[in-house]
Amino acid sequence: MGESEEITRRIVETFSEHRNDENRQGMEKYMKHHFAFFGIKAPEQKKLLSPILKEFRGISEEERFEAAHLLFQQRERECHYAALSLLEKGKKFISRGAIDEYKKLLMTESWWDTVDVLAAKLCGGYFLMYPDQLIPVTKEWRQSDNMWVRRSSVLHQLKFKDMTDERLLFETVEVLKNEKEFFIEKAIGWALREYSKTAPEAVQDFINNTELRPLSRREGLKWMKNKGLIKV
């Protein structure tokens, strides 16, 4: 048995042993019954995972991604979260080809909770390591047939602050702005709101001169409005 199969087995068995049906019902309801759960809340998940991730900290990138895909094949959502935790442990050492694996996972058991971690943390970290990939990948992904990949394209730079490629962000919003899809509208607003903390004037000017969906506009202006920087 390879390391990817072994770490997957250990995680699934550990989570199974700590199943909590009382928590499970509430967690499944919160996620609108899209996924099954063991019923293990985030702090306990972290506590249970910690020794396993420490034991396998030397796992290769190939085995790490293989384990992540194996974990995403499990029914319970906690296994998918564990896959992301495993990938986060290795994000400082990823190769240029890692972005293709991230894209596969974006399209696997997709929902906002995993997609946003992949987009903002993992893909975002990748582009900080390989900045020459940011523009071509973002331009490709914003034209994807997969809605979650398109959502990711506008969230890649969420944590970039003053390193944000402003032109690329605004161009990507322009491409996606007319979509009547809640998760796209929300992502646009979220991305603009976060960047407004760095460049409020640029974001306000962009919003004022761009025909955005109401949700995107409202979310994009929220931080500036709360700070009294604008009156709307």
Side-chain angles (χ1 to χ4, degrees), residues 1-18 38 40 45 47-57 59 67 70-71 74 78-79 82-83 86:
M1 180 182 293
E3 285 193 297
S4 58
E5 291 89 352
E6 177 62 17
I7 191 173
T8 299
R9 182 189 65 80
R10 289 278 299 281
I11 291 171
V12 173
E13 288 184 356
T14 299
F15 282 173
S16 296
E17 291 168 1
H18 291 80
F38 285 117
I40 306 171
Q45 289 177 42
K47 183 178 179 180
L48 293 172
L49 275 177
S50 182
I52 301 175
L53 296 181
K54 184 176 181 180
E55 181 180 344
F56 287 86
R57 61 181 177 273
I59 191 172
L70 289 172
L71 286 164
Q74 306 301 312
E78 290 93 337
C79 292
L86 175 62

Side-chain angles (χ1 to χ4, degrees), residues 52-81:
I52 301 175
L53 296 181
K54 184 176 181 180
E55 181 180 344
F56 287 86
R57 61 181 177 273
I59 191 172
S60 69
E61 179 178 85
E62 182 180 0
E63 293 269 19
R64 193 182 296 273
F65 276 117
E66 185 175 334
H69 287 293
L70 289 172
L71 286 164
F72 263 86
Q73 290 174 19
Q74 306 301 312
R75 291 182 63 251
E76 290 81 6
R77 195 60 163 169
E78 290 93 337
C79 292
H80 309 164
Y81 300 152

Side-chain angles (χ1 to χ4, degrees), residues 13-25:
E13 288 184 356
T14 299
F15 282 173
S16 296
E17 291 168 1
H18 291 80
R19 183 186 298 273
N20 184 315
D21 285 334
E22 183 176 347
N23 289 342
R24 176 184 61 77
Q25 295 178 26

Side-chain angles (χ1 to χ4, degrees), residues 5-169:
E5 291 89 352
E6 177 62 17
I7 191 173
T8 299
R9 182 189 65 80
R10 289 278 299 281
I11 291 171
V12 173
E13 288 184 356
T14 299
F15 282 173
S16 296
E17 291 168 1
H18 291 80
R19 183 186 298 273
N20 184 315
D21 285 334
E22 183 176 347
N23 289 342
R24 176 184 61 77
Q25 295 178 26
M27 293 170 78
E28 291 179 355
K29 182 178 180 180
Y30 176 73
M31 293 300 292
K32 302 184 183 298
H33 300 282
H34 285 290
F35 307 100
F37 279 81
F38 285 117
I40 306 171
K41 295 185 176 181
E44 188 177 3
Q45 289 177 42
K46 184 176 181 180
K47 183 178 179 180
L48 293 172
L49 275 177
S50 182
I52 301 175
L53 296 181
K54 184 176 181 180
E55 181 180 344
F56 287 86
R57 61 181 177 273
I59 191 172
S60 69
E61 179 178 85
E62 182 180 0
E63 293 269 19
R64 193 182 296 273
F65 276 117
E66 185 175 334
H69 287 293
L70 289 172
L71 286 164
F72 263 86
Q73 290 174 19
Q74 306 301 312
R75 291 182 63 251
E76 290 81 6
R77 195 60 163 169
E78 290 93 337
C79 292
H80 309 164
Y81 300 152
L84 301 181
S85 296
L86 175 62
L87 293 178
E88 284 192 66
K89 289 295 183 181
K91 68 180 182 180
K92 293 182 180 179
F93 311 102
I94 53 174
S95 67
R96 291 179 70 87
I99 195 65
D100 295 327
E101 297 299 325
Y102 288 156
K103 184 179 182 182
K104 291 176 186 175
L105 290 169
L106 281 167
M107 298 186 289
T108 304
E109 299 296 339
S110 307
W111 199 244
W112 63 264
D113 54 337
T114 55
V115 165
D116 292 355
V117 174
L118 281 158
K121 289 188 177 181
L122 295 172
C123 291
Y126 171 90
F127 291 122
L128 290 176
M129 288 184 67
Y130 302 104
D132 62 301
Q133 294 296 297
L134 176 62
I135 292 176
V137 171
T138 299
K139 287 184 175 181
E140 177 189 343
W141 286 19
R142 70 194 188 193
Q143 302 289 347
S144 173
D145 292 335
N146 184 286
M147 183 271 290
W148 296 106
V149 175
R150 297 198 304 279
R151 177 179 168 93
S152 182
S153 75
V154 80
L155 295 179
H156 289 162
Q157 301 189 80
L158 195 68
K159 306 298 183 182
F160 280 22
K161 298 182 180 179
D162 59 356
M163 292 184 289
T164 299
D165 184 327
E166 182 180 291
R167 180 177 178 180
L168 180 65
L169 173 61

